[in-house]
Amino acid sequence: MGLARIQKVLIAVHRSELDKILAQIQEQGILHIIKTESTPQLTESSQEAKLSAEQIADAISYLESYTAKKGLLQGLVGTKPVVNQNELQETVTTYEATEKINQLKILHQKIQDIESKAKTVAADITLLTPWRQLDYDLSEIYAGGVRRIEMLLGVFPEKEDWAKAQTAIAELPIHLEAINQNERIYCLAVFPTTISNEAKSILLSHHFEIVDFSNLKGKPEILIRQLVQRQKELSQQREKLVAFSIDLLSELPKLKILYDYYLNQQQRHAVGRTLASTNSVSFIEGWIKWRDFKKLEKIIAKADSAVVEKVEPNPGEVPPVALQNHKIFRPFEIVLDMYGMPAYFEIDPTPLLAPWFLIFFALCLADVGYGIMLAIISFLLLKKMGAENKLLKVFTLAGIITIFAGAITGGWFGDIVDKLGINFLVELRNKVLLFDPIKNPMPFFILSIILGYLQVLFGILIEIYDSFRQGNVGGAIFEQLPWFLLLNSLVGFLLTGKFIPVAFKPVFAFIIFLSCATIIIFTRRSRETILTQALLFLIVLGGLFSLGSQWRFLPPSFVFAKYLAIIGFFALIVIAWLNLMKAKKIFRLIVFLLLLISTVLHFIVQLSLLVPILLGILFIFSDLKIRKNVKKIIWGLYTLYGASSYIGLILSYIRLMALGMSGAGIAMAINTIAWMVIKIPVLGIILAIVILVFGHLYNLAVNILGAFVHTLRLQYVEFFPRFFTGGGEKFNPFRWENKYIQVK
């Protein structure tokens, strides 16, 4: 349990060897480089200038458009081909990529041009099709002015508009001929050029939409045939180009190798441009794990003009955070990846949350059948992918634990065991069953509460340990430990006489009062006021012990604890008097004299003790140094009041029961429906199987999502705030990034 130890280093390298050093650092993936604002001018290789990752990406994208589409499952589990260094270098040095990329670019452009022309042809066919029956050459229609007759093609959107237009032109030399009718009326309008404006005005007033085919020559029927022929020609041309492109699919693996190579080369040059440098030397500043420093030294030793040194961080500079866990706990780092890294000096909570995560997830799912399915599916996907996948590993482990959670709660695909009526399965289910939450949910409720309570306490213990580890002894003793003792003592106090002997009741009460006094007085403390706070602690503790004795929570002898309060009270008066002698304040002097007089009168004439007590309190808190502790006491009282929040916090763990029971209820409903339809002749069995398979798959998927999300919530909202601060920067070494291949 812990974080990797990080060392800051500084590398000085001659500019001529910078790219070579960066390439080896990138290959090893061990250095978190600190970028600066400096932008030295790096000399790029001619090969990089001619070819970029973006150009290769365009070529890959074009070729992949002609590959078979991957299914959802294949897309999830698809693996990247493994390429060794020799194959990588051979491809980079020998493959004529520029020629192939240019060829693919030309093919792509030609196909785009053909597709653009095909769209235009298709649009023209669509426009001309309604005019197919027009027995006029379109060029003649738009040359009507020579014959002093004008002809217009147009459309009435509604038959009502067509009828009204016919009525409006009844007494005018305007002829309307319907060429085609469906929902719209396609017609030819003919009229003398002398009434052109009037005719157009009337037609347009009845929503006549003029169609312009002035750029076309020939009859629509003939034009449509020509366009259809043109469409076929374009389709044939496209098919030839596509076939030629498909023949080039064999180039795809090499292009993918080149893409990853040039992508990383470009990233290397981009990093180089962010390094501080002089005319001849570049400086690489970064962070490295201690265990990897020797690897870095070996890289630098191979260079002719480079040196590496360990350096101290700048003031206020905090190293990035690198998680370092055993392989068993490593998959659970995904929980932190989604939440945020711990601060550099904090504890890595990954191994601490792992068992809780598995238990909570299992109880949310709580079904043997679902656990088996989840474990098998996750394991197979993990094997198929051929690489580490933290989420699938977590699901595999969670599926195994879910089997046990389902066994103790009796969930076997809901109540499928009872439905099948197989004696062996029924006996097995009953042997391992601890409680049935459907028949009696109270044990599940109690289990959820106990687990929540234990995790909260565990979080407080972690914070106590971490405070001691960092040397914050005061924080551990006065801030975290009192809460741990208070919560446990309260539970013990409430359970005395039921599960705990009554004899322990005073012990719990003693710890409760001691913890409360500590929280009130020492939640906020400082060295300057520690003596005053210690005396205030005696006063509060003595008062609480005295009250506890009167309320019979503590033995009668504790009534004498009031003398602790009296001693502390008079000690504060002495401190206030000493401060008064230094400050010589008239008001405080008067109060002090009244305090003395009232005390004497109390013994002589039996003046009420309340008077000197009130004057003593006034005198004590008239001292500025003592008065500063009032705010601390108020804050301590507010903090103690916050103990009530633990009730709601622990109750939030009831979601474990709620999710577990809801999933079981839905599973039982699916089984009931299946057993209802199974009675249908012939199709009954088939329908029942379909309902069972798809119903339980759906329920499994929904419950996995719910279990994962709510288990995360319990860690993030209820567990982490007890001890986790976070905010650390993730250790992100400069490394080779792979999109298409894995480099061995």
Side-chain angles (χ1 to χ4, degrees), residues 281 364 372 495 651:
V281 179
C364 288
I372 293 172
L495 294 179
L651 286 176

Side-chain angles (χ1 to χ4, degrees), residues 46-53 55-56 97-98 101 258 262 265-266:
S46 58
Q47 192 174 20
E48 186 190 26
K50 292 179 181 178
L51 202 60
S52 69
Q55 291 173 315
I56 303 173
T98 304
I101 289 173
L258 285 182
Y262 284 113
Q265 188 183 68
Q266 287 177 198

Side-chain angles (χ1 to χ4, degrees), residues 31 36 100 114-115 189 236 267 274 292 339 436 466 519 594 601 674-675 679 693 714 728:
L31 184 65
T36 65
K100 293 296 181 184
I114 290 172
E115 289 174 346
Q236 291 172 355
Q267 290 177 343
T274 66
D292 292 331
Y339 185 81
D436 188 341
D466 198 32
I519 292 169
L594 291 174
L601 291 176
W675 253 255
K679 299 176 182 178
V693 171
L714 289 174

Side-chain angles (χ1 to χ4, degrees), residues 437-589:
I438 302 299
K439 296 179 180 178
N440 181 18
M442 190 52 66
F444 208 165
F445 176 86
I446 295 172
L447 177 62
S448 301
I449 294 296
I450 291 174
L451 287 172
Y453 176 74
L454 291 176
Q455 190 181 38
V456 169
L457 288 183
F458 185 58
I460 297 174
L461 281 176
I462 295 171
E463 182 62 16
I464 293 172
Y465 166 77
D466 198 32
S467 296
F468 277 118
R469 186 180 66 88
Q470 296 185 34
N472 183 15
V473 179
I477 294 176
F478 295 110
E479 293 178 23
Q480 288 88 42
L481 183 60
W483 281 108
F484 181 80
L485 296 174
L486 176 62
L487 293 174
N488 283 288
S489 299
L490 281 172
V491 173
F493 187 84
L494 294 173
L495 294 179
T496 51
K498 298 177 181 178
F499 303 101
I500 300 175
V502 178
F504 286 95
K505 192 170 187 177
V507 177
F508 291 132
F510 175 86
I511 297 173
I512 289 171
F513 291 134
L514 180 64
S515 301
C516 288
T518 305
I519 292 169
I520 292 171
I521 302 301
F522 293 116
T523 293
R524 287 193 172 185
R525 62 197 180 280
S526 61
R527 291 184 179 180
E528 293 77 11
T529 61
I530 190 64
L531 177 59
T532 303
Q533 285 185 279
L535 295 174
L536 288 170
F537 175 73
L538 286 179
I539 294 171
V540 174
L541 185 62
L544 290 175
F545 279 168
S546 180
L547 289 173
S549 178
Q550 293 179 22
W551 295 337
R552 298 183 181 180
F553 294 149
L554 294 172
S557 58
F558 272 80
V559 74
F560 295 102
K562 64 183 180 181
Y563 294 113
L564 287 176
I566 294 172
I567 292 170
F569 184 73
F570 280 106
L572 281 177
I573 291 176
V574 172
I575 291 174
W577 181 76
L578 292 174
N579 291 335
L580 173 62
M581 293 299 97
K582 296 178 182 178
K584 298 180 181 180
K585 300 290 184 180
I586 299 299
F587 170 75
R588 293 178 58 206
L589 181 59

Side-chain angles (χ1 to χ4, degrees), residues 624-642:
L624 179 62
K625 292 183 179 179
I626 296 177
R627 195 162 62 245
K628 288 181 179 178
N629 289 286
V630 175
K631 292 182 179 179
K632 296 177 182 178
I633 293 173
I634 294 173
W635 181 259
L637 289 168
Y638 176 76
T639 304
L640 184 62
Y641 170 75

Side-chain angles (χ1 to χ4, degrees), residues 378-452:
S378 300
F379 181 76
L380 292 177
L381 289 176
L382 194 61
K383 288 294 183 182
K384 179 68 177 177
M385 294 183 75
E388 280 201 5
N389 186 298
K390 294 178 181 178
L391 183 60
L392 288 177
K393 284 189 174 181
V394 169
F395 279 158
T396 303
L397 293 172
I400 295 171
I401 304 301
T402 298
I403 296 173
F404 295 98
I408 65 173
T409 58
W412 298 66
F413 288 109
D415 59 347
I416 196 75
V417 171
D418 294 325
K419 297 290 185 184
L420 292 172
I422 300 175
N423 292 332
F424 167 73
L425 292 177
V426 174
E427 291 176 2
L428 177 62
R429 192 273 309 273
N430 293 335
K431 282 182 180 179
V432 295
L433 177 67
L434 292 184
F435 60 89
D436 188 341
I438 302 299
K439 296 179 180 178
N440 181 18
M442 190 52 66
F444 208 165
F445 176 86
I446 295 172
L447 177 62
S448 301
I449 294 296
I450 291 174
L451 287 172

